[in-house]
Amino acid sequence: MLDGRLSLLTPEGVSLALVPAGPARRALAWAIDFVIWLIALFVFAIALRFAIGSGGLNEGIFLVGLFVSYWGYPVLCEVYFGGRTLGKRWLGLEVVRADGLPVGWRESATRNLLLAADFLPLCYAAGLVSMLTDPQFRRLGDLVAGTLVVYSAKPRPRQAALDAAPMPLPFPLDPEQQRALIDLIERAERLPLSRRLELADLAEPLTGLRGEASLERLRAYAAGLTR
Amino acid sequence: MKQAQFEAQHAALWDEVAVLVKGRQGDPRRLPALYRQLCQSLALARQRGYSPLLTEHLHGLVLAAHRRLYGTQPERPLTLRRWLGVELPRRVREEWRLLLLACIAFWGVALAVGFLVWYQPHWAYSWMDWQQLNEYRQMYDPGHDRVGRSGTGDDVKMFGFYIWNNVSICFRTFAGGLFGGVPALVSLVYNGMHGGVVAAWLSRDASTATVFWSFVVTHSSFEITGLILSGVAGMRLGLSLIRPGRFGRRHSLEAASRRMFPVLVGAALLTVLAAFFEGFWSAAGAIPPAAKFTVGGLCWALVIGFFAFAGRRGRHAA
C-alpha cells in the first residue's frame, strides 16, 4: 500500500505502524504552543507585579521564569507527559524515538536545543527544508536526536456485533474484499445518508439490489462473515 | 473462525492488557506473557482479514504494551553524577584538538585584539562605537555604586538577565555548530573579540582597570569555560557531518550528539554557576578587590584542575 506509514518490526514478529506528521501540522502545533507560552508569560508577569511589586527583584524572577519556560517547557512536557506539549496534544501528535519508544531526557533536550539551528537563517527555514527532504519529516533536531513526530493513535470505540440476520455470500470474496465490506458496514453509521446509498449502489454486482435494500443485504453478508 | 467467536475467546486477555498498559492496576509482572499472546491475536486478526476496527484496536493495544515493556528505563540514580564527575572531563580531554581550536578562537583573538587596542587605542573604534565604549567606562568607574552595570541594576534582576542571556548564548553556540561547526567558531571569535576590546580599553585607564579585572576574574572562569565547551560540542556535531568516518551521516551525527551531551550539560551548568557569581559576588562593592582576585584565582585553578585531572581513575565506559 502506498501511504506514509512507517512500519516497525517488533521482536515478537508483528509490525507496528507509525504515521509521521508533516510540516504544516507541526507548525500549527508549534504556533499553539507559542501562543500558550506568550499568555502564560503575560499571566506570570501580572502575578509577579501583584505579588512583589515592580523593581529589580520582579524583573530578575521574570527573566529566570522566561529562561526556564523557553528552554524547559518542551523538554519537561515530552519527558513527563508522553512526548506531547499542549499544542501537540491538541493536534494529536507525539514525539517518539526512531524505534517507537518514548523519548528520554537526552533525546528531548537535544532536539529542543537544536530548534535554534532549525530556526536559521530565519523563520525555521532550515527545519522546513530538512522536513521536506526527509521521508519521515524530521527536522534537524529530530535527525540529531534520533526522534520522530508521529500521529498518536486515537482509540476508536469498538462496536457491538451486527444485529442483522447472517446470510452467506453469493460467491466467494478474497480477504481484502471481505475486509473492505466489513469496513464499509462499520463506517456506515458515520456517513451521510446519500453517500451511504451511493456506496450501496456501487455494490450492485454483489447484491443484485440498489439503494437501501442493497445496504441491508450488505449488512447481512457482513454479519455472515463476522458471526 | 468467525470474528465474533474470536473476539469472545480473547476479550478477557485484551481487557486485561488494556488495564495493565494504563499502569495503575493489575500485576505488571504478567505483562510480558500477556503481551506475547496479544501479538499473536494481532497477527491472527490481520492474517484472517478481520474487520479493520478490530485490527486497529489490537494494534493500538500492542503499541501501548510495546512501549510499556521496552520503554521502561532502568533506575540510574547516579547517572548525572557520573556524567559530570567522570564523563565530562574525559570527553573534554578526548576532544583536546577541538578544545585547542576553541581556545585559540576565543583567547587568541581576545589577546590579539586586546594588544592591538592597548598599543593603538584608535583601533577600538573599528569594532565598537564611542557611545558603547563610554558606557563601559561608566559601568566600571570606581565612583559607580554597583560596578559592571549600567544604571542601578539590582542583583536579582542582573542574575535573571545573565541566566537568560548567557545560557541562551551557550545553547545557540552549540546548535549553530551543526552547520559544519562554523557558526560555533564564529560565536567564539566574536565573543573573544568583544571581550578583548573591552578589556584592553578599560585596562588603559588605571582607575577602571582594577575595578574591571576584579569584577570579571571570578565568574569568567566558569562563563568562558562554559562557552568554550559548548563551542567544542557544537563543532564536534558539525565535524561529524563533514567527516562521518565509517558511519552514515545521520548515524554519525546521532553518535556525536550522544557523546557530546555530558559536555553540553556541563557547559550549561557552568554558565548558570557563572550567573550566580556575576549576579551576587562580582558586583558587590563591599568586597575588597584583593579578596575577589584570590577567589577568582582559586576558581580558575579549580576549573583547570578539574578538566585536567578529574575522572582519570576508574573504569572506562565503553
Side-chain angles (χ1 to χ4, degrees):
Chain A
M1 216 189 286
L2 187 68
D3 56 15
R5 270 191 259 180
L6 177 74
S7 161
L8 300 171
L9 203 64
T10 72
E12 288 74 23
V14 292
S15 62
L16 299 176
L18 295 176
V19 187
R25 203 165 175 88
R26 291 177 60 177
L28 199 58
W30 175 86
I32 291 173
D33 277 332
F34 187 67
V35 170
I36 291 173
W37 182 64
L38 285 184
I39 294 172
L41 276 185
F42 187 68
V43 172
F44 183 53
I46 290 176
L48 272 182
R49 175 60 67 92
F50 274 111
I52 44 181
S54 60
L57 187 64
N58 177 335
E59 284 178 52
I61 295 178
F62 178 74
L63 283 168
V64 172
L66 185 69
F67 172 77
V68 172
S69 60
Y70 183 82
W71 295 103
Y73 159 72
V75 179
L76 291 176
C77 279
E78 283 169 17
V79 174
Y80 286 117
F81 299 98
R84 272 173 267 179
T85 58
L86 290 172
K88 288 200 176 73
R89 183 174 293 269
W90 192 338
L91 292 180
L93 304 178
E94 63 182 320
V95 182
V96 293
R97 271 167 30 184
D99 53 7
L101 297 178
V103 285
W105 285 101
R106 193 183 60 76
E107 290 94 3
S108 181
T110 308
R111 73 185 291 280
N112 285 304
L113 286 187
L114 285 167
L115 260 182
D118 277 304
F119 183 79
L120 294 172
L122 76 171
C123 291
Y124 295 99
L128 182 66
V129 171
S130 164
M131 275 196 230
L132 291 178
T133 48
D134 187 85
Q136 293 157 18
F137 303 125
R138 284 173 292 189
R139 62 176 174 81
L140 294 175
D142 287 325
L143 288 172
V144 175
T147 53
L148 287 174
V149 177
V150 297
Y151 286 94
S152 42
K154 248 179 289 169
R156 274 203 277 160
R158 279 173 59 223
Q159 291 167 346
L162 291 168
D163 48 3
M167 273 178 72
L169 287 164
F171 51 87
L173 295 175
D174 66 34
E176 205 56 46
Q177 290 166 331
Q178 291 184 14
R179 202 176 314 175
L181 174 60
I182 298 170
D183 199 18
L184 169 69
I185 296 306
E186 280 177 339
R187 284 182 343 121
E189 296 304 315
R190 288 178 289 138
L191 297 175
L193 183 65
S194 54
R195 178 75 182 138
R196 234 185 285 171
L197 295 181
E198 188 188 345
L199 286 169
D201 286 348
L202 284 180
E204 199 184 348
L206 180 66
T207 57
L209 299 165
R210 292 183 66 83
E212 195 65 49
S214 174
L215 194 64
E216 277 310 314
R217 181 62 62 85
L218 284 177
R219 195 166 278 140
Y221 290 155
L225 284 173
T226 54
R227 279 195 293 171
Chain B
M1 188 187 284
K2 290 290 173 70
Q3 180 174 332
Q5 259 176 301
F6 180 73
E7 282 182 39
Q9 202 173 355
H10 294 98
L13 164 73
W14 302 341
D15 291 343
E16 191 174 355
V17 176
V19 171
L20 275 178
V21 291
K22 290 218 176 69
R24 300 263 153 67
Q25 300 157 349
D27 180 8
R29 279 170 299 182
R30 282 173 56 69
L31 187 62
L34 290 177
Y35 170 62
R36 283 192 291 275
Q37 292 173 29
L38 180 69
C39 284
Q40 196 203 6
S41 295
L42 175 65
L44 279 177
R46 276 183 180 157
Q47 194 259 331
R48 291 178 181 166
Y50 290 147
S51 81
L53 259 185
L54 175 68
T55 337
E56 209 174 279
H57 174 71
L58 290 178
H59 178 259
L61 271 185
V62 170
L63 196 60
H66 178 78
R67 282 188 189 166
R68 183 116 182 105
L69 200 60
Y70 291 101
T72 310
Q73 301 278 345
E75 291 278 327
R76 288 175 303 180
L78 296 177
T79 308
L80 192 65
R81 218 180 81 183
R82 179 169 168 85
W83 269 3
L84 293 182
V86 182
E87 300 294 335
L88 167 64
R90 276 186 191 171
R91 300 272 155 91
V92 171
R93 282 195 296 272
E94 278 168 27
E95 297 294 344
W96 65 271
R97 289 187 190 84
L98 279 180
L99 185 67
L100 194 67
L101 180 64
C103 283
I104 290 172
F106 184 88
W107 290 112
V109 169
L111 280 179
V113 172
F115 276 116
L116 185 65
V117 172
W118 177 261
Y119 290 111
Q120 308 267 318
H122 64 272
W123 273 92
Y125 296 113
S126 46
W127 287 293
M128 299 171 80
D129 58 28
W130 64 273
Q131 283 161 328
Q132 271 177 304
L133 287 170
N134 215 18
E135 213 169 275
Y136 274 110
R137 184 193 290 279
Q138 277 167 9
M139 274 159 57
Y140 296 99
D141 191 65
H144 201 60
D145 58 340
R146 304 299 277 168
V147 288
R149 286 148 195 200
S150 50
T152 52
D154 180 274
D155 279 355
V156 182
K157 174 188 163 187
M158 291 317 287
F159 169 68
F161 174 74
Y162 296 137
I163 289 268
W164 166 241
N165 191 49
N166 298 359
V167 186
S168 297
I169 287 181
C170 176
F171 287 160
R172 292 207 177 91
T173 303
F174 167 72
L178 188 59
F179 299 100
V182 177
L185 206 57
V186 170
S187 167
L188 287 173
V189 168
Y190 174 78
N191 283 298
M193 195 191 76
H194 190 88
V197 173
V198 173
W201 183 258
L202 294 174
S203 302
R204 283 186 60 81
D205 191 335
S207 65
T208 49
T210 325
V211 181
F212 171 75
W213 286 107
S214 69
F215 175 74
V216 295
V217 67
T218 316
H219 66 256
S220 64
S221 62
F222 305 119
E223 192 172 335
I224 294 174
T225 314
L227 181 70
I228 286 180
L229 289 189
S230 63
V232 167
M235 283 193 283
R236 174 44 68 206
L237 274 196
L239 282 184
S240 74
L241 204 59
I242 293 175
R243 207 182 59 177
R246 291 182 166 206
F247 289 116
R249 289 216 153 68
R250 195 164 59 72
H251 284 116
S252 145
L253 254 183
E254 238 186 284
S257 85
R258 195 179 292 264
R259 270 173 52 75
M260 284 296 115
F261 194 64
V263 179
L264 185 65
V265 172
L269 287 181
L270 279 174
T271 317
V272 170
L273 192 64
F276 270 103
F277 273 96
E278 193 170 0
F280 300 112
W281 163 269
S282 300
I287 303 167
K292 285 186 185 174
F293 281 121
T294 316
V295 173
L298 273 177
C299 286
W300 271 109
L302 211 66
V303 168
I304 294 172
F306 175 76
F307 284 105
F309 300 112
R312 280 204 185 267
R313 267 181 300 171
R315 197 166 53 85
H316 269 269

PDB file of all heavy atoms in Angstrom, chain A residues 76-94:
ATOM      1  N   LEU A  76      10.282  19.243  29.458  1.00  0.00           N
ATOM      2  CA  LEU A  76       9.505  18.674  30.568  1.00  0.00           C
ATOM      3  C   LEU A  76       8.230  18.008  30.053  1.00  0.00           C
ATOM      4  O   LEU A  76       7.870  16.916  30.476  1.00  0.00           O
ATOM      5  CB  LEU A  76       9.151  19.769  31.577  1.00  0.00           C
ATOM      6  CG  LEU A  76      10.343  20.306  32.359  1.00  0.00           C
ATOM      7  CD1 LEU A  76       9.909  21.449  33.246  1.00  0.00           C
ATOM      8  CD2 LEU A  76      10.967  19.205  33.195  1.00  0.00           C
ATOM      9  N   CYS A  77       7.558  18.671  29.115  1.00  0.00           N
ATOM     10  CA  CYS A  77       6.328  18.093  28.560  1.00  0.00           C
ATOM     11  C   CYS A  77       6.619  16.757  27.893  1.00  0.00           C
ATOM     12  O   CYS A  77       5.880  15.790  28.071  1.00  0.00           O
ATOM     13  CB  CYS A  77       5.720  19.026  27.517  1.00  0.00           C
ATOM     14  SG  CYS A  77       4.773  20.354  28.232  1.00  0.00           S
ATOM     15  N   GLU A  78       7.700  16.715  27.102  1.00  0.00           N
ATOM     16  CA  GLU A  78       7.965  15.496  26.343  1.00  0.00           C
ATOM     17  C   GLU A  78       8.385  14.342  27.254  1.00  0.00           C
ATOM     18  O   GLU A  78       8.059  13.193  26.995  1.00  0.00           O
ATOM     19  CB  GLU A  78       9.033  15.762  25.283  1.00  0.00           C
ATOM     20  CG  GLU A  78       8.458  16.507  24.103  1.00  0.00           C
ATOM     21  CD  GLU A  78       9.524  17.017  23.157  1.00  0.00           C
ATOM     22  OE1 GLU A  78      10.656  16.536  23.221  1.00  0.00           O
ATOM     23  OE2 GLU A  78       9.187  17.912  22.365  1.00  0.00           O
ATOM     24  N   VAL A  79       9.124  14.657  28.316  1.00  0.00           N
ATOM     25  CA  VAL A  79       9.597  13.569  29.168  1.00  0.00           C
ATOM     26  C   VAL A  79       8.490  13.074  30.096  1.00  0.00           C
ATOM     27  O   VAL A  79       8.317  11.877  30.278  1.00  0.00           O
ATOM     28  CB  VAL A  79      10.833  14.016  29.966  1.00  0.00           C
ATOM     29  CG1 VAL A  79      11.231  12.938  30.960  1.00  0.00           C
ATOM     30  CG2 VAL A  79      11.988  14.309  29.036  1.00  0.00           C
ATOM     31  N   TYR A  80       7.715  14.008  30.661  1.00  0.00           N
ATOM     32  CA  TYR A  80       6.753  13.585  31.682  1.00  0.00           C
ATOM     33  C   TYR A  80       5.334  13.378  31.165  1.00  0.00           C
ATOM     34  O   TYR A  80       4.521  12.774  31.829  1.00  0.00           O
ATOM     35  CB  TYR A  80       6.737  14.602  32.817  1.00  0.00           C
ATOM     36  CG  TYR A  80       7.965  14.502  33.682  1.00  0.00           C
ATOM     37  CD1 TYR A  80       8.859  15.546  33.773  1.00  0.00           C
ATOM     38  CD2 TYR A  80       8.242  13.324  34.376  1.00  0.00           C
ATOM     39  CE1 TYR A  80       9.996  15.441  34.544  1.00  0.00           C
ATOM     40  CE2 TYR A  80       9.372  13.198  35.139  1.00  0.00           C
ATOM     41  CZ  TYR A  80      10.243  14.262  35.237  1.00  0.00           C
ATOM     42  OH  TYR A  80      11.364  14.132  35.981  1.00  0.00           O
ATOM     43  N   PHE A  81       4.993  13.930  29.993  1.00  0.00           N
ATOM     44  CA  PHE A  81       3.610  13.812  29.541  1.00  0.00           C
ATOM     45  C   PHE A  81       3.523  13.110  28.192  1.00  0.00           C
ATOM     46  O   PHE A  81       2.840  13.557  27.278  1.00  0.00           O
ATOM     47  CB  PHE A  81       2.937  15.189  29.489  1.00  0.00           C
ATOM     48  CG  PHE A  81       2.889  15.848  30.825  1.00  0.00           C
ATOM     49  CD1 PHE A  81       3.828  16.798  31.187  1.00  0.00           C
ATOM     50  CD2 PHE A  81       1.926  15.480  31.749  1.00  0.00           C
ATOM     51  CE1 PHE A  81       3.807  17.377  32.439  1.00  0.00           C
ATOM     52  CE2 PHE A  81       1.900  16.055  33.007  1.00  0.00           C
ATOM     53  CZ  PHE A  81       2.833  17.003  33.355  1.00  0.00           C
ATOM     54  N   GLY A  82       4.244  11.986  28.087  1.00  0.00           N
ATOM     55  CA  GLY A  82       4.100  11.122  26.919  1.00  0.00           C
ATOM     56  C   GLY A  82       4.489  11.768  25.601  1.00  0.00           C
ATOM     57  O   GLY A  82       3.838  11.531  24.593  1.00  0.00           O
ATOM     58  N   GLY A  83       5.562  12.587  25.593  1.00  0.00           N
ATOM     59  CA  GLY A  83       6.046  13.132  24.326  1.00  0.00           C
ATOM     60  C   GLY A  83       5.158  14.195  23.725  1.00  0.00           C
ATOM     61  O   GLY A  83       5.209  14.427  22.522  1.00  0.00           O
ATOM     62  N   ARG A  84       4.336  14.833  24.556  1.00  0.00           N
ATOM     63  CA  ARG A  84       3.395  15.798  23.996  1.00  0.00           C
ATOM     64  C   ARG A  84       3.438  17.132  24.728  1.00  0.00           C
ATOM     65  O   ARG A  84       3.262  17.180  25.938  1.00  0.00           O
ATOM     66  CB  ARG A  84       1.975  15.256  24.083  1.00  0.00           C
ATOM     67  CG  ARG A  84       1.591  14.436  22.887  1.00  0.00           C
ATOM     68  CD  ARG A  84       0.273  13.799  23.116  1.00  0.00           C
ATOM     69  NE  ARG A  84       0.464  12.466  23.673  1.00  0.00           N
ATOM     70  CZ  ARG A  84      -0.536  11.666  23.997  1.00  0.00           C
ATOM     71  NH1 ARG A  84      -1.773  12.081  23.867  1.00  0.00           N
ATOM     72  NH2 ARG A  84      -0.284  10.482  24.475  1.00  0.00           N
ATOM     73  N   THR A  85       3.671  18.214  24.013  1.00  0.00           N
ATOM     74  CA  THR A  85       3.408  19.539  24.578  1.00  0.00           C
ATOM     75  C   THR A  85       1.909  19.790  24.412  1.00  0.00           C
ATOM     76  O   THR A  85       1.206  19.004  23.781  1.00  0.00           O
ATOM     77  CB  THR A  85       4.186  20.618  23.823  1.00  0.00           C
ATOM     78  OG1 THR A  85       3.809  20.555  22.453  1.00  0.00           O
ATOM     79  CG2 THR A  85       5.684  20.392  23.932  1.00  0.00           C
ATOM     80  N   LEU A  86       1.438  20.907  24.951  1.00  0.00           N
ATOM     81  CA  LEU A  86      -0.011  21.162  24.870  1.00  0.00           C
ATOM     82  C   LEU A  86      -0.478  21.263  23.418  1.00  0.00           C
ATOM     83  O   LEU A  86      -1.518  20.722  23.052  1.00  0.00           O
ATOM     84  CB  LEU A  86      -0.346  22.439  25.626  1.00  0.00           C
ATOM     85  CG  LEU A  86      -0.193  22.310  27.143  1.00  0.00           C
ATOM     86  CD1 LEU A  86      -0.351  23.659  27.807  1.00  0.00           C
ATOM     87  CD2 LEU A  86      -1.209  21.331  27.686  1.00  0.00           C
ATOM     88  N   GLY A  87       0.318  21.946  22.588  1.00  0.00           N
ATOM     89  CA  GLY A  87      -0.067  22.091  21.175  1.00  0.00           C
ATOM     90  C   GLY A  87      -0.121  20.745  20.478  1.00  0.00           C
ATOM     91  O   GLY A  87      -1.039  20.464  19.700  1.00  0.00           O
ATOM     92  N   LYS A  88       0.862  19.886  20.761  1.00  0.00           N
ATOM     93  CA  LYS A  88       0.881  18.563  20.130  1.00  0.00           C
ATOM     94  C   LYS A  88      -0.293  17.729  20.622  1.00  0.00           C
ATOM     95  O   LYS A  88      -0.912  16.987  19.868  1.00  0.00           O
ATOM     96  CB  LYS A  88       2.192  17.857  20.439  1.00  0.00           C
ATOM     97  CG  LYS A  88       3.371  18.460  19.694  1.00  0.00           C
ATOM     98  CD  LYS A  88       4.514  17.474  19.633  1.00  0.00           C
ATOM     99  CE  LYS A  88       5.657  18.025  18.804  1.00  0.00           C
ATOM    100  NZ  LYS A  88       6.379  19.090  19.510  1.00  0.00           N
ATOM    101  N   ARG A  89      -0.615  17.841  21.921  1.00  0.00           N
ATOM    102  CA  ARG A  89      -1.739  17.099  22.470  1.00  0.00           C
ATOM    103  C   ARG A  89      -3.034  17.487  21.758  1.00  0.00           C
ATOM    104  O   ARG A  89      -3.840  16.656  21.370  1.00  0.00           O
ATOM    105  CB  ARG A  89      -1.857  17.408  23.964  1.00  0.00           C
ATOM    106  CG  ARG A  89      -2.935  16.651  24.694  1.00  0.00           C
ATOM    107  CD  ARG A  89      -2.831  16.947  26.157  1.00  0.00           C
ATOM    108  NE  ARG A  89      -1.612  16.398  26.727  1.00  0.00           N
ATOM    109  CZ  ARG A  89      -1.539  15.177  27.258  1.00  0.00           C
ATOM    110  NH1 ARG A  89      -2.600  14.421  27.311  1.00  0.00           N
ATOM    111  NH2 ARG A  89      -0.405  14.736  27.739  1.00  0.00           N
ATOM    112  N   TRP A  90      -3.175  18.783  21.543  1.00  0.00           N
ATOM    113  CA  TRP A  90      -4.374  19.300  20.885  1.00  0.00           C
ATOM    114  C   TRP A  90      -4.510  18.705  19.487  1.00  0.00           C
ATOM    115  O   TRP A  90      -5.582  18.296  19.063  1.00  0.00           O
ATOM    116  CB  TRP A  90      -4.263  20.827  20.824  1.00  0.00           C
ATOM    117  CG  TRP A  90      -5.530  21.523  20.445  1.00  0.00           C
ATOM    118  CD1 TRP A  90      -6.587  20.994  19.771  1.00  0.00           C
ATOM    119  CD2 TRP A  90      -5.875  22.866  20.737  1.00  0.00           C
ATOM    120  NE1 TRP A  90      -7.558  21.928  19.623  1.00  0.00           N
ATOM    121  CE2 TRP A  90      -7.138  23.083  20.199  1.00  0.00           C
ATOM    122  CE3 TRP A  90      -5.216  23.909  21.388  1.00  0.00           C
ATOM    123  CZ2 TRP A  90      -7.773  24.323  20.296  1.00  0.00           C
ATOM    124  CZ3 TRP A  90      -5.862  25.127  21.477  1.00  0.00           C
ATOM    125  CH2 TRP A  90      -7.125  25.333  20.944  1.00  0.00           C
ATOM    126  N   LEU A  91      -3.408  18.669  18.752  1.00  0.00           N
ATOM    127  CA  LEU A  91      -3.472  18.226  17.363  1.00  0.00           C
ATOM    128  C   LEU A  91      -3.229  16.730  17.205  1.00  0.00           C
ATOM    129  O   LEU A  91      -3.133  16.235  16.087  1.00  0.00           O
ATOM    130  CB  LEU A  91      -2.461  19.003  16.529  1.00  0.00           C
ATOM    131  CG  LEU A  91      -2.815  20.482  16.392  1.00  0.00           C
ATOM    132  CD1 LEU A  91      -1.789  21.189  15.552  1.00  0.00           C
ATOM    133  CD2 LEU A  91      -4.187  20.641  15.770  1.00  0.00           C
ATOM    134  N   GLY A  92      -3.091  16.014  18.338  1.00  0.00           N
ATOM    135  CA  GLY A  92      -2.926  14.552  18.237  1.00  0.00           C
ATOM    136  C   GLY A  92      -1.572  14.136  17.711  1.00  0.00           C
ATOM    137  O   GLY A  92      -1.472  13.213  16.912  1.00  0.00           O
ATOM    138  N   LEU A  93      -0.509  14.846  18.124  1.00  0.00           N
ATOM    139  CA  LEU A  93       0.843  14.459  17.719  1.00  0.00           C
ATOM    140  C   LEU A  93       1.623  14.036  18.952  1.00  0.00           C
ATOM    141  O   LEU A  93       1.287  14.420  20.073  1.00  0.00           O
ATOM    142  CB  LEU A  93       1.573  15.641  17.075  1.00  0.00           C
ATOM    143  CG  LEU A  93       0.895  16.290  15.883  1.00  0.00           C
ATOM    144  CD1 LEU A  93       1.734  17.455  15.404  1.00  0.00           C
ATOM    145  CD2 LEU A  93       0.715  15.293  14.781  1.00  0.00           C
ATOM    146  N   GLU A  94       2.668  13.264  18.742  1.00  0.00           N
ATOM    147  CA  GLU A  94       3.555  12.988  19.859  1.00  0.00           C
ATOM    148  C   GLU A  94       4.967  12.718  19.356  1.00  0.00           C
ATOM    149  O   GLU A  94       5.174  12.346  18.204  1.00  0.00           O
ATOM    150  CB  GLU A  94       3.053  11.821  20.712  1.00  0.00           C
ATOM    151  CG  GLU A  94       2.989  10.514  19.992  1.00  0.00           C
ATOM    152  CD  GLU A  94       2.433   9.416  20.894  1.00  0.00           C
ATOM    153  OE1 GLU A  94       2.779   9.392  22.082  1.00  0.00           O
ATOM    154  OE2 GLU A  94       1.654   8.602  20.394  1.00  0.00           O
TER     155      GLU A  94
END
